C-alpha cells in the first residue's frame, strides 16, 4: 500500500469482546510496521480502561444497551445511539481508516454502521454460537464475518462467513511455570487434584453461592482442593460469610486473579460461565470444564455456547437454576473420574483454533489489499 495502514476496532463492554479485540490489534502491530489503530468503545465500560493499558488509543461514546424491561427508557437509548452514529461518522472521516473491525458490544453498532455508510470495508468478528442482533444487521453490508462455531451461515450471508475461531490471550499458553510451582503459588498442595472456579472479573452470584453452600463438603476432601475467584462485586459479602463459617484449608479465595495463566496451569478442572472468550481459552488449553451458562444474557447465547461443546462431549453443562445444589458435588465426581477427565480434555482441545488471531488478521489484510 502507498500509505500506512489505518484500522478502527469498535466494540467492548465485556472481556469477551475486549480481549479478542486487543489480540487482533496486537497481531496487526506485529504483522504491519507502522499500523495506526484506533479503538471506539462505550464510556464507563471496561474497554475505556483496558485498551489504554494495552497501549492503544480509544474514543468513548455515550451509548447504552436496550432496556428489555422498560421500553419507555429506550427513547433515551435511541437518542444516544443516533448521537453516537453522528460522532462515529466524524471519527471515521477524521481518522480515515482503510478497514473497520467490529467485535460486538454497545459501540460496535453505531461505529460499524457509520463505517458501512461511508463505504469503509468492514470485518465482523462474532464470538458466540448464536449471533447477536447487531452483528446480524451489520453483516448485510460487511465484507467478511469471522466466526468461532460451525453452522453460522444460518445467521450470516454464506459467502462472507469464514470459520476462524476466537482470538485468545496468547500469554495464557506461555509455558513459563510448572504445574507444581503454579499450585504452590496459591498456597496449595501439588499432589492434590485442583478445581479452578471462575465467574468472570465481576463474579457470578450463583456460582459463588454454590461454593458457600458446600463448604463442609469441600472441607472433607483429602485429595481435592479449590482455587476460587469470587469477583470484586461479591468480595466483601463472601469475606464476611467465610469468617462466620470458617474457610476450609483446601480452598484458596481471591476476588480477582491477575495471573490467569498461573491459575489455568494449576487447574485440573475448571468451573466457568459459558462466555465465548472463556470457552476459547479452555479449548486452547485443553482444560476439562463444567460450564454454568449465565441466564442474564441476550438470546440465552451462553447456553447455546455450552451445548455446542456438550454435543461433542467436550464439556459438562450445569444449569444456573440447578447449580447451587449440584455444582460442587458434580465437580468432585468429575475430577475424581480419570477416564471422564481424559475424554473432556481431549475433546475440548480438538475444538480449539490456536491460530484464530492470525487467520483474522490475514482476512483483514486480504480485505485491504482487495480494496486497495
Amino acid at each position: 500500500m502507498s500509505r500506512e495502514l489505518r484500522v478502527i476496532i469498535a466494540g467492548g463492554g465485556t472481556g469477551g469482546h475486549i480481549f479478542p479485540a486487543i489480540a487482533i490489534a496486537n497481531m496487526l502491530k506485529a504483522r504491519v510496521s507502522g499500523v495506526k489503530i484506533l479503538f471506539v468503545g462505550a464510556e464507563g465500560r471496561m474497554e475505556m480502561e483496558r485498551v489504554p493499558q494495552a497501549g492503544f488509543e480509544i474514543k468513548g461514546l455515550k451509548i447504552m444497551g436496550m432496556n428489555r424491561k422498560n421500553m419507555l427508557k429506550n427513547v433515551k437509548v435511541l437518542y444516544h445511539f443516533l448521537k453516537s452514529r453522528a460522532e462515529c461518522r466524524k471519527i471515521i472521516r477524521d481518522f480515515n481508516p482503510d478497514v473497520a473491525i467490529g467485535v460486538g458490544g454497545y459501540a460496535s453498532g453505531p461505529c460499524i454502521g457509520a463505517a458501512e455508510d461511508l463505504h469503509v470495508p468492514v470485518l465482523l468478528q462474532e464470538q458466540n454460537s448464536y449471533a447477536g442482533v447487531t452483528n446480524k444487521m451489520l453483516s448485510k453490508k460487511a465484507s467478511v464475518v469471522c466466526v468461532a462455531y460451525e453452522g453460522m451461515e444460518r445467521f450470516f450471508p454464506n459467502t462472507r462467513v469464514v470459520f476462524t475461531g476466537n482470538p485468545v490471550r496468547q500469554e495464557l499458553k506461555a509455558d513459563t511455570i510448572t504445574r507444581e510451582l503454579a499450585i504452590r503459588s496459591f498456597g496449595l498442595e501439588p499432589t492434590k487434584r485442583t478445581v479452578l472456579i471462575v465467574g468472570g472479573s465481576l463474579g457470578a452470584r450463583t456460582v459463588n453461592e454454590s461454593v458457600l453452600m458446600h463448604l463442609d463438603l469441600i472441607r472433607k476432601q483429602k485429595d481435592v482442593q479449590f482455587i476460587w475467584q469470587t469477583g470484586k462485586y461479591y468480595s466483601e459479602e463472601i469475606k464476611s460469610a467465610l469468617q462466620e463459617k470458617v474457610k476450609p484449608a483446601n480452598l484458596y479465595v481471591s476476588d480477582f486473579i491477575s495471573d490467569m495463566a498461573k491459575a489455568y496451569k494449576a487447574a485440573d478442572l475448571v468451573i466457568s460461565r459459558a462466555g465465548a472468550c472463556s470457552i476459547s481459552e479452555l479449548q486452547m488449553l485443553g482444560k476439562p470444564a463444567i460450564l454454568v451458562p449465565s441466564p442474564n444474557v441476550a438470546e440465552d447465547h451462553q447456553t447455546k455456547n455450552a451445548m455446542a461443546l456438550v454435543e461433542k462431549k467436550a464439556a459438562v453443562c450445569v444449569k444456573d437454576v440447578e447449580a447451587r445444589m449440584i455444582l460442587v458435588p458434580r465437580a468432585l465426581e468429575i475430577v475424581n473420574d480419570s477416564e471422564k477427565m481424559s475424554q473432556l480434555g481431549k475433546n475440548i482441545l480438538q475444538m480449539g483454533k490456536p491460530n484464530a488471531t492470525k487467520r483474522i488478521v490475514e482476512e483483514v489484510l486480504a480485505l485491504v489489499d482487495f480494496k486497495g
Side-chain angles (χ1 to χ4, degrees):
M1 296 181 67
S2 59
R3 64 184 181 88
E4 63 190 4
L5 178 63
R6 304 177 75 85
V7 181
I8 274 185
I9 302 179
T14 66
H17 296 308
I18 296 165
F19 294 139
I22 292 174
I24 292 169
N26 283 330
M27 181 67 75
L28 277 166
K29 273 181 65 178
R31 288 285 300 273
V32 182
S33 177
V35 62
K36 300 294 182 185
I37 299 172
L38 175 65
F39 279 76
V40 178
E43 289 182 4
R45 306 295 291 188
M46 64 187 293
E47 60 263 27
M48 300 308 294
E49 180 181 346
R50 295 295 179 89
V51 169
Q53 285 175 352
F56 298 100
E57 180 185 356
I58 185 168
K59 291 187 180 293
L61 305 174
K62 192 172 183 179
I63 189 169
M64 58 197 76
M66 294 286 287
N67 190 313
R68 299 172 191 273
K69 295 181 180 178
N70 187 338
M71 297 306 291
L72 289 175
K73 290 186 177 180
N74 288 323
V75 173
K76 187 177 180 181
V77 173
L78 179 60
Y79 167 76
H80 284 301
F81 178 87
L82 294 174
K83 186 177 179 182
S84 294
R85 183 76 166 247
E87 289 177 23
C88 287
R89 291 175 73 92
K90 184 178 187 306
I91 290 170
I92 290 166
R93 286 194 177 103
D94 290 345
F95 186 70
N96 193 24
D98 297 287
V99 61
I101 301 170
V103 296
Y106 298 149
S108 188
C111 187
I112 298 303
E116 291 178 341
D117 288 346
L118 295 171
H119 307 292
V120 176
V122 163
L123 179 144
L124 300 177
Q125 201 259 320
E126 173 58 59
Q127 296 97 17
N128 293 296
S129 63
Y130 193 90
V133 173
T134 300
N135 269 354
K136 282 190 280 189
M137 292 176 61
L138 293 171
S139 70
K140 294 173 183 177
K141 293 183 180 179
S143 300
V144 179
V145 184
C146 294
V147 302
Y149 291 87
E150 296 171 350
M152 296 300 285
E153 294 82 4
R154 68 190 190 277
F155 301 114
F156 304 122
N158 185 34
T159 56
R160 298 172 203 171
V161 173
V162 181
F163 183 31
T164 60
N166 277 326
V168 294
R169 296 173 285 179
Q170 291 299 310
E171 63 267 25
L172 296 179
K173 203 172 183 179
D175 201 16
T176 57
I177 189 171
T178 64
R179 177 182 179 275
E180 179 178 349
L181 288 175
I183 292 175
R184 288 195 185 281
S185 72
F186 294 99
L188 298 174
E189 295 293 329
T191 56
K192 296 182 179 181
R193 288 180 287 278
T194 304
V195 179
L196 171 63
I197 306 168
V198 287
S201 57
L202 295 178
R205 179 174 291 279
T206 304
V207 174
N208 288 340
E209 289 178 353
S210 302
V211 179
L212 289 174
M213 286 182 66
H214 290 91
L215 289 177
D216 287 340
L217 179 60
I218 290 171
R219 202 187 320 272
K220 292 176 183 176
Q221 302 307 308
K222 293 182 179 180
D223 299 316
V224 182
Q225 57 199 354
F226 293 78
I227 298 171
W228 179 22
Q229 178 182 276
T230 66
K232 294 183 178 180
Y233 186 81
Y234 301 102
S235 177
E236 294 304 316
E237 178 185 331
I238 288 170
K239 279 182 184 177
S240 177
L242 289 176
Q243 284 177 353
E244 180 183 338
K245 298 184 178 183
V246 185
K247 183 183 78 68
N250 59 337
L251 175 65
Y252 171 90
V253 185
S254 176
D255 62 346
F256 181 72
I257 299 172
S258 58
D259 192 343
M260 280 303 296
K262 196 177 289 183
Y264 278 134
K265 190 75 171 184
D268 296 296
L269 175 69
V270 180
I271 294 172
S272 172
R273 284 301 199 190
C277 186
S278 298
I279 286 176
S280 294
E281 291 175 354
L282 294 168
Q283 289 173 333
M284 178 181 73
L285 299 170
K287 288 291 175 181
I290 299 177
L291 302 174
V292 187
S294 170
N296 305 312
V297 295
E299 255 81 39
D300 193 26
H301 68 253
Q302 286 204 7
T303 295
K304 297 176 177 71
N305 289 348
M307 294 313 296
L309 274 70
V310 170
E311 287 168 5
K312 296 194 175 184
K313 294 182 171 59
V316 172
C317 181
V318 170
K319 294 179 181 178
D320 188 86
V321 70
E322 298 174 346
R324 290 175 180 84
M325 296 304 298
I326 72 170
L327 180 58
V328 172
R330 188 84 173 99
L332 289 169
E333 175 189 329
I334 292 170
V335 81
N336 284 308
D337 185 338
S338 297
E339 186 175 339
K340 180 73 170 178
M341 289 282 287
S342 177
Q343 179 197 55
L344 291 173
K346 178 183 176 181
N347 291 344
I348 198 169
L349 183 63
Q350 288 178 346
M351 292 186 72
K353 293 286 181 181
N355 296 317
T357 312
K358 181 181 177 183
R359 287 282 292 108
I360 291 169
V361 167
E362 286 172 353
E363 290 295 329
V364 171
L365 298 180
L367 183 57
V368 171
D369 288 341
F370 176 78
K371 296 293 180 181

